[in-house]
Amino acid sequence: DPYVCSKLGALYVETEKIAEGVDLLAKGVKIAGDNYDILYELYYHLGIACSRLQNFKQAIIYYQAAIKLPIYPMLKLGAYNNLGNLLKATGDFK
């Protein structure tokens, strides 16, 4: 279930079991289909996981994927905020 992958994967990342979290989140992406709300959460949490692993390039890709999804714009604020912080940290001010 992609919803369970999202929630459990995020919990693993939060508790520093990042590899396990990334595995579940990636599995959720593969099975989510057109469930854009769940896909947003999966990409968002993958961005967080990659940030914690210092893989900022991949984190940016995941946040951008989350932002492109056709969901209610206000729900994207977390991804916009995290993406902006990463771009600032990497010196990309445009």
Side-chain angles (χ1 to χ4, degrees), residues 8-93:
L8 187 55
L11 183 60
Y12 275 139
V13 171
E14 187 175 320
T15 59
E16 300 301 322
K17 296 180 182 178
I18 298 174
E20 294 92 335
V22 168
D23 287 344
L24 276 173
L25 294 165
K27 181 178 180 178
V29 168
K30 290 178 185 175
I31 61 176
D34 290 339
N35 192 337
Y36 300 124
D37 292 332
I38 300 299
L39 271 174
Y40 171 82
E41 287 189 30
L42 291 161
Y43 286 135
Y44 175 79
H45 290 297
L46 280 164
I48 291 171
C50 288
S51 292
R52 291 194 178 181
L53 293 171
Q54 305 288 313
N55 186 350
F56 301 127
K57 184 176 180 179
Q58 189 62 48
I60 288 169
I61 291 168
Y62 283 130
Y63 288 132
Q64 288 172 335
I67 289 167
K68 289 180 184 177
L69 291 169
I71 62 171
Y72 185 65
M74 293 295 287
L75 297 176
K76 299 178 185 183
L77 287 176
Y80 278 120
N81 186 55
N82 290 358
L83 175 61
N85 287 331
L86 276 178
L87 292 172
K88 180 182 172 189
T90 60
D92 185 352
F93 296 107

